[in-house]
Amino acid sequence: MWTKETLQSLIKEKMSDYLFIVVSNREPYIHTYEGEETKCIFPASGMVTALDPVMKSCGGVWVAHGSGSADRETVDEKGHVRVPPEDPRYTLRRVWLSKEEENKYYYGFSNEGLWPLCHIAYTRPVFRREDWEAYVAVNQKFADAVLEEIGGRKAFVFIQDYHLALISRMIKEKNPNCITAQFWHIPWPNREAFRVCPWQDDILHGMLGNDLLGFHIQYHCNNFLDTVDRGIEAKVDYERFQVMRGGKTTLVKAFPISVDYSDIAEQCGRPAIEAETKRLIKEYDLRGQIVGFGADRIDYTKGIPDRLRAIDIFFEKNPQYQGKVSFVQIGALSRIHIPQYKEINDEITRMAVDINYKYATGHWKPVHVAKGHFGRLTLEAMYKLSRFCVVSSLHDGMNLVSKEFVAARTDGDGVLILSRFTGASRELTDAVAVNPYAADDFADAVKTAIEMPPEERQKRMARMRETVARNNIYRWAAKIISELLKFEFKEI
Ligand code: F6P
């Protein structure tokens, strides 16, 4: 069983003379102004949820975009701030982007291009030359910041996600001694889908600058190998899961990401949870109710309208549950400058209003939708007080809400309704599996979850808890670090 401590000893023993650098677009701690005050928030990001505990135990430097309104006020002259603010364990190096760079690189190429390209959620990707040019320039900016941090040292650079597909080559051009790994937190689509990208060759070439490329599941690795095999000049070795291009070898492997199971379980036992539970019951009028819960970034890939449609059909087909079941959906606003995100946000509000108009009586409301930023305390209290949690993504690399819910259920109870189109559904086979596109079946799954006998709930939850406890975030990091250690450090 991997723990914080065993990961720490692995790093101490094997990596002590290496600098460990994580680089991502999203930063783990965002400083913002609230009136006169400065506040530090933890973003709604599966990537951050997974990597922050790893950095807390490894130490090192995390290079990321400084996106908060008070970020510049809280760093030193090198753009450094020690985090977490209440118990500093590692250094955050912020990279500054202009509004124009952010618009074209982040909103444009990354999130209007690559995001819909990689998620099969039937949203058309948009590719603009100026967005691509900004993407290249911003990748170079991140690479330069990483090189500055490395100085002359030996380093492992661990690159996160689709925003930074080009930086491994940019880093290695100037410092060939670095060992780089990249983890792609979103799905990799099949070759047919990917080949519409006008800059597919550059992206594949960039990614193949890495020594190691990680995806959540083997299916995404296979799609990637097939995309390379049929798309560019390279030798693909399907036996060893390797790609050779221009004398360089990249290992492609699946590493299912996870959460800090023991920390979540510990946090869920603290007394503050009880007070928060009481507050939430009061706020949403949940006394005596069977509670269903969903927590997502508001994104068209998460299947939130499909979930609300299923709830609507459930009440229509099962009027005996009207007045007895309440569904609470919390949503973190996300990428709101992109038209599809504005639309999905409005659609969710409209649907909740319509469902409530249709069924609400007296004090009872079938659906509560709360939007904004929600801290760990609220999330964990909601996980604990709910009978069932719904994750209904149309397509999702992994989905860590499902694993957080399981880790939070220290009482061994609760039912997870989980989309078949998430990476997590490969591991959490004791969830009630749904196809979010099949509204009637989805509504029946809600009924199944509600009516599942307690012994059955507990049996399934025990098995899922065992899986998440074993395949925790420290195991994920240890597996990647162990792979990296196989790459010999080559002096020039
Ligand atoms: O997990 C995929 C991902 O795109 C992360 O890289 C990102 O931090 C998270 O989703 C949330 O999105 P954003 O950073 O755009 O708010």
Side-chain angles (χ1 to χ4, degrees), residues 25-26 43-48 106 111 115 119 160-163 185-186 297 333-335:
N25 172 71
R26 179 63 63 208
S45 155
M47 182 276 297
V48 169
Y106 170 74
N111 287 315
W115 180 268
H119 289 89
Q160 309 303 315
D161 242 338
Y162 57 98
H163 314 83
H185 290 259
I186 61 175
R297 261 187 324 102
L333 288 177
S334 177
R335 307 174 192 168

Side-chain angles (χ1 to χ4, degrees), residues 360-386:
T361 49
H363 278 295
W364 177 74
K365 270 195 353 191
V367 172
H368 300 265
V369 173
K371 294 176 189 169
H373 183 80
F374 300 89
R376 265 187 86 169
L377 185 67
T378 303
L379 272 173
E380 287 165 355
M382 275 311 303
Y383 288 142
K384 283 199 83 173
L385 73 84
S386 303

